[in-house]
Amino acid sequence: MKQHTLRVSPQTVHWGYFSKAVAPSLTVRSGDRVTIETLTHHANDDYERMIAGDPGAESVFAWTREHKAISRRGAGPTTGTFQYGEGEGVGVHLLTGPVAIEGAEPGDVLEVRILDVRPRPSCSACFAGRCFGSNAAASWGFHYRDLIEEPKPREVITIFELDTSGEPYARAVYNYIWTPQTDPDGVVHPTIDYPGVRVDHSLVRKRENILRDVKVPARLHFGTMGLAPSESDFVSSIPPSYTGGNIDDWRVGKGARMYYPVAVAGAFFSVGDPHAAQGDSELGGTAIETSLTGDFEFVLHKKNQLEGTILEGLDHPMLETDEQWSVYGFTFPNYLAALGPDAQTAVAQHSSLDQAMRDAFRKLRRFLMQVHRLSEDEAIALLSVAADFGVTQVVDANWGVHGSIRKEVFGRQFGR
């Protein structure tokens, strides 16, 4: 086993997409451990608290009229005429990687163990050592066309501070309504339509004393984590799919083990979209978006060794904790294959919790029948009386439902 460290820089992050075509930032062997830094793509909602004085963050977010540290922001083209900026928003998340796994081949399963997660403290002179995050109640949120107060519509940013002195929690510091922002290239952004635009705080009105006496329990986790799909060289980071991605499940934190089917040689693992806290559904469009550092261990399971294990027949992401297994149902199990050449933009037009629920049911049924050797009738009975299904997210175009079964129902620790 070797220990590696992958820090954030313009050379080690890619913005808004998973890719099998990007040169790996790091190559490791099965059993290796890697400490990986991740940045929130919402850090510029409050530059002073989340970027200023931090060499890694400053290098990634650097953007002037003369220099843009990372031009491609999304899975779109990098040349041509753009309304918002390169990438045009087909993907938004800052991802660190890819990490290539030696010997990984299509048909294998990569196990990613999250050993630890910790917040990235502010380096600003005024806020040094304190940890902050941003929540955007944004235009892609489930709530957006169902507002009752004026002005309508509106996008609202809430800045939180994370207290880690004991059991971690977050408190709201202030909020503001998004007002049109002009980026260094002179493009005006009337809404939150392009990642990494720095908010000019002289143009917004901060509202303090909000969410008074409210403490949000922290659930440090990674909203977007997974492998490169095979269907395209650049795949939007927004819709989750069969190799993982933007699943947005708060359970994907310390102590969790995620399993992903390998689609391309090397697997090409990337991680980002770090969160301090999120509820099931991520209803407003985002979590408390913060920057985190994680310790990961990678274990490669070869396809000829899967029979008789919990990974037998696995062709989708799966979570394991000490207490339970969870599978993830989506509107489309593999939207890239289902929707054709325009899949990355078309998927948002088909979002459906009904289809996601059915997909979660089918995946958990398969797990019980193939791994636990139940008959279909036994599996359905157990699903109805002991499985828990919840809405993972309704904001990532390919909507999600997670289905979970607790290990204790089997009366023993099931062998891995």
Side-chain angles (χ1 to χ4, degrees):
M1 183 193 77
K2 288 187 177 180
Q3 176 69 48
H4 309 263
T5 298
L6 190 55
R7 302 192 185 282
V8 290
S9 74
Q11 292 73 44
T12 60
V13 304
H14 47 105
W15 203 324
Y17 55 87
F18 285 85
S19 177
K20 62 182 181 180
V22 174
S25 297
L26 179 68
T27 299
V28 303
R29 293 181 175 179
S30 179
D32 284 359
R33 294 182 174 182
V34 187
T35 295
I36 303 179
E37 297 181 348
T38 67
L39 296 174
T40 172
H41 56 293
H42 281 274
N44 254 333
D45 292 342
D46 190 323
Y47 177 90
E48 293 301 323
R49 283 176 168 83
M50 291 188 275
I51 298 177
D54 183 329
E58 287 184 342
S59 71
V60 168
F61 282 91
W63 184 5
T64 65
R65 185 174 291 276
E66 294 75 29
H67 171 70
K68 191 176 185 183
I70 300 180
S71 293
R72 179 189 285 277
R73 300 188 180 186
T78 55
T79 60
T81 302
F82 302 104
Q83 180 178 357
Y84 305 119
E86 290 170 302
E88 295 274 295
V90 186
V92 296
H93 307 96
L94 268 170
L95 302 177
T96 307
V99 176
I101 313 299
E102 283 190 19
E105 302 172 295
D108 297 343
V109 172
L110 182 65
E111 176 184 353
V112 181
R113 300 174 179 173
I114 305 176
L115 307 178
D116 195 16
V117 185
R118 50 198 175 275
R120 186 183 185 94
S122 176
C123 294
S124 167
C126 295
F127 306 103
R130 297 159 66 183
C131 303
F132 298 92
S134 171
N135 169 256
S139 60
W140 58 88
F142 191 83
H143 70 290
Y144 190 65
R145 303 193 186 283
D146 200 9
L147 296 170
I148 58 176
E149 294 183 346
E150 297 293 344
K152 295 187 291 186
R154 64 187 180 276
E155 294 179 298
V156 178
I157 304 292
T158 303
I159 301 298
F160 286 85
E161 180 169 0
L162 183 63
D163 188 322
T164 59
S165 58
E167 191 70 23
Y169 65 89
R171 284 190 186 273
V173 181
Y174 66 90
N175 69 10
Y176 59 86
I177 296 176
W178 179 276
T179 60
Q181 300 293 319
T182 303
D183 69 32
D185 294 329
V187 177
V188 177
H189 300 270
T191 62
I192 307 170
D193 55 20
Y194 188 75
V197 174
R198 180 172 172 177
V199 175
D200 181 348
H201 278 219
S202 70
L203 301 178
V204 300
R205 181 174 66 87
K206 294 182 181 180
R207 302 180 295 192
E208 299 177 335
N209 296 316
I210 60 166
L211 291 174
R212 296 178 64 182
D213 302 321
V214 172
K215 296 170 62 174
V216 179
R219 297 167 168 174
L220 305 183
H221 66 281
F222 298 97
T224 305
M225 191 168 88
L227 312 183
S230 62
E231 284 78 3
S232 179
D233 283 350
F234 298 95
V235 176
S236 170
S237 65
I238 295 174
S241 194
Y242 72 104
T243 56
N246 191 25
I247 289 176
D248 278 327
D249 180 6
W250 59 263
R251 299 158 186 85
V252 185
K254 182 179 179 179
R257 297 181 288 276
M258 286 296 296
Y259 301 96
Y260 303 103
V262 174
V264 301
F268 281 50
F269 170 86
S270 296
V271 59
D273 190 23
H275 295 166
Q278 182 205 303
D280 286 334
S281 83
E282 200 181 19
L283 186 136
T286 68
I288 298 180
E289 312 284 331
T290 193
S291 296
L292 301 173
T293 297
D295 296 329
F296 301 86
E297 182 176 350
F298 298 94
V299 179
L300 181 64
H301 300 270
K302 298 298 292 181
K303 55 188 172 184
N304 60 359
Q305 300 172 340
L306 302 181
E307 186 175 353
T309 74
I310 63 167
L311 307 180
E312 183 178 355
L314 188 72
D315 62 359
H316 55 80
M318 183 172 73
L319 166 76
E320 182 182 12
T321 67
D322 290 342
E323 294 78 30
Q324 67 182 37
W325 295 283
S326 296
V327 299
Y328 299 95
F330 306 122
T331 301
F332 297 98
N334 181 347
Y335 76 94
L336 295 164
L339 298 177
D342 298 324
Q344 296 188 53
T345 53
V347 63
Q349 302 167 20
H350 300 278
S351 302
S352 165
L353 280 177
D354 289 347
Q355 291 175 230
M357 176 66 195
R358 188 158 300 281
D359 185 41
F361 152 64
R362 289 171 173 169
K363 287 172 176 172
L364 200 52
R365 176 181 60 183
R366 183 211 63 82
F367 179 75
L368 294 177
M369 293 178 67
Q370 188 157 4
V371 174
H372 292 275
R373 309 304 181 193
L374 302 184
S375 70
E376 182 177 28
D377 290 341
E378 289 175 314
I380 290 173
L382 189 57
L383 288 171
S384 189
V385 302
D388 297 311
F389 292 87
V391 178
T392 321
Q393 51 78 21
V394 287
V395 296
D396 296 340
N398 200 16
W399 287 359
V401 168
H402 52 272
S404 304
I405 188 78
R406 295 183 300 279
K407 293 179 177 179
E408 65 183 6
V409 305
F410 298 98
R412 61 185 175 87
Q413 186 73 21
F414 190 84
R416 298 177 56 216

